[in-house]
Amino acid sequence: MTRRPVDTGAPDRLYTVTGGRSRADDASFDLVTLVVSECEPASGMQSEHVRILELCRRPTAVVEVAAELKLPITVVRILLGDLQAGGKITARHPGAAASVAELPDSALLKEVLHGLRNL
């Protein structure tokens, strides 16, 4: 299997999309953070913001948004930060298990893995 280089778009386009920023203002968006639109797109919005609001009508993971937009995750985090600052989206971070007792049994996980391999 040959690996193809990842196309991250033209650098000047990405620079324009993010307004010249290369990092999000905070690290509040990890790959599995669920994002939900809180409003409809408005006229005059940046096209990438519009697309994000449309994609996130239902809870959508950050990594899914990046894949749909075909943009690098860092660019998507910057765009999501803009929308969150404007109150246009909300983000919900997945919770970690409070204790080992809340984690699934390893035997169950092995059965699930076995079932997936048999598909």
Side-chain angles (χ1 to χ4, degrees):
M1 175 156 103
T2 60
R3 297 185 80 188
R4 297 182 318 183
V6 175
D7 179 17
T8 58
D12 54 340
R13 179 181 178 278
L14 299 179
Y15 182 86
T16 304
V17 166
T18 62
R21 295 168 292 164
S22 61
R23 294 180 186 212
D25 294 335
D26 59 15
S28 62
F29 298 103
D30 60 15
L31 296 177
V32 294
T33 299
L34 295 176
V35 179
V36 180
S37 301
E38 293 297 328
C39 66
E40 292 295 319
S43 61
M45 289 181 78
Q46 187 175 335
S47 62
E48 290 81 9
H49 287 153
V50 169
R51 185 74 176 117
I52 290 170
L53 291 176
E54 290 171 349
L55 285 170
C56 297
R57 287 188 176 129
R58 292 184 175 165
T60 308
V62 172
V63 70
E64 292 177 56
V65 174
E68 287 291 327
L69 294 177
K70 295 181 174 76
L71 289 173
I73 196 74
T74 53
V75 171
V76 171
R77 284 180 175 150
I78 292 168
L79 296 171
L80 289 172
D82 294 344
L83 291 170
Q84 188 176 39
K88 299 188 182 320
I89 62 167
T90 55
R92 186 177 71 208
H93 307 282
S99 69
V100 176
E102 293 181 20
L103 296 174
D105 182 40
S106 63
L108 173 65
L109 293 175
K110 286 178 184 177
E111 288 180 34
V112 169
L113 183 59
H114 180 72
L116 288 173
R117 285 184 178 150
N118 288 335
L119 290 178

